[in-house]
Amino acid sequence: MTDLPRIVGMVHLPPLPGSPGFDGDRAATRDRVRADARALAEGGVDALLVENFGDAPFYPETVPRHVVASMTDLTRLVVRTVDRPVGVNVLRNDATAALSAAAAAGADFVRVNVHTGARVADQGVIEGRAHETLRLRDRLDTDVSILADTAVKHSAPLGGTTAADGRTTTGDDVDDLVERGRADGVIASGPRTGEGVDRARLEAVAERCGAHDVPLYVGSGVTAGTVGDLLDVADGVIVGTALKRDGETTAPVDPSRVRALVEAADCSSD
């Protein structure tokens, strides 16, 4: 990414072919993706992140080839629709698929939920594969950036110091993400989609990111009311639920909500 985006809007894909919720209408899926991407760009976000949110239950690591094909196709559609940096996240943790789709579609970055270490999620134990992801990026000869989660939402640690809700309380794992995993940026999120990150934890992660000179993004719970305070600590935010009609994660993007959040972020920087 040439310029560091502050506001990253989510393109939550509907269920894709092969997933339990797919309704068989490929044309409608493409229309929805195109409409959401345009609404985000016209509302003023700086970048977009394409994610197969509708594919639950998610494969824990490697997704089938048809998922990679769909992700590549729809990411390319977003790249062609908007003049913004575009990212890819293949749930639950297929960094190889995300990086491949991003490189083929002309996208700019990927999100990797578990890049180093291991977490326990509803898919079981999820292990980081930084050693594979970085080598694949070299083989593909691409400059796609890697944004890696620390203590990603919808998961718990296998061990270590935790708060009562199972979240890590310090930013110590940032050291491994950046020094050993060679992540280009870090994402801190709350416990679940749409829920905010603990302030003390965010500040601890920000301190470690600052020491490594890598950007920090907030990956959940961002709203027009909180974005200003969050940008006082983080370099950027990734927003999905707050930009949807009636604040429903699976609803279409609401252009008025996008504009309100972007305006709130702009006011905070004045």
Side-chain angles (χ1 to χ4, degrees):
M1 293 179 288
T2 303
D3 297 318
L4 188 66
R6 283 204 314 158
I7 310 296
V8 181
M10 290 299 306
V11 179
H12 285 136
L13 300 180
L16 300 177
S19 69
F22 180 58
D23 63 6
D25 194 339
R26 288 174 170 81
T29 296
R30 293 178 65 82
D31 288 344
R32 166 68 181 274
V33 170
R34 189 183 292 109
D36 279 356
R38 285 174 174 162
L40 289 167
E42 291 169 3
V45 303
D46 302 305
L48 291 78
L49 178 57
V50 182
E51 180 182 82
N52 57 328
F53 185 82
D55 277 357
F58 304 115
Y59 293 92
E61 293 180 344
T62 304
V63 300
R65 294 174 182 176
H66 62 78
V67 176
V68 183
S70 292
M71 291 296 297
T72 304
D73 175 53
L74 294 172
T75 299
R76 183 59 176 162
L77 176 63
V78 173
V79 169
R80 290 175 171 172
T81 300
V82 301
D83 184 21
R84 299 284 193 284
V86 175
V88 183
N89 186 24
V90 178
L91 299 170
R92 176 63 159 133
N93 200 55
D94 196 339
T96 294
L99 187 60
S100 300
D108 303 273
F109 63 97
V110 296
R111 179 178 186 173
V112 183
N113 289 168
V114 182
H115 186 55
T116 60
R119 304 282 295 179
V120 179
D122 54 298
Q123 299 82 20
V125 176
I126 309 296
E127 297 184 23
R129 298 183 178 275
H131 60 292
E132 295 179 354
T133 306
L134 270 294
R135 286 172 172 80
L136 176 62
R137 184 167 66 173
D138 285 344
R139 291 199 303 274
L140 294 178
D141 191 24
T142 179
D143 58 359
V144 170
S145 299
I146 297 170
L147 303 184
D149 278 91
T150 169
V152 69
K153 56 190 174 182
H154 298 282
S155 74
L158 289 176
T161 304
T162 63
D165 64 355
R167 312 296 289 168
T168 56
T169 57
T170 72
D172 292 347
D173 56 340
V174 172
D175 297 341
D176 283 341
L177 285 173
V178 178
E179 292 178 352
R180 300 167 71 85
R182 297 178 180 267
D184 301 298
V186 173
I187 302 170
S189 61
R192 302 181 65 83
T193 297
E195 297 185 16
V197 60
D198 176 77
R199 180 74 176 203
R201 176 171 168 264
L202 179 63
E203 290 176 350
V205 172
E207 181 180 354
R208 298 311 308 151
C209 287
H212 292 290
D213 194 26
V214 297
L216 168 63
Y217 285 84
V218 175
S220 70
V222 182
T223 67
T226 64
V227 66
D229 288 340
L230 293 172
L231 288 173
D232 285 340
V233 181
D235 299 284
V237 295
I238 301 173
V239 199
T241 301
L243 304 182
K244 303 301 186 67
R245 184 183 303 162
D246 298 324
E248 294 290 336
T249 307
T250 57
V253 172
D254 183 339
S256 64
R257 282 177 168 259
V258 181
R259 288 192 293 270
L261 187 138
V262 171
E263 288 172 2
D266 290 343
C267 288
S268 72
S269 63
D270 292 342

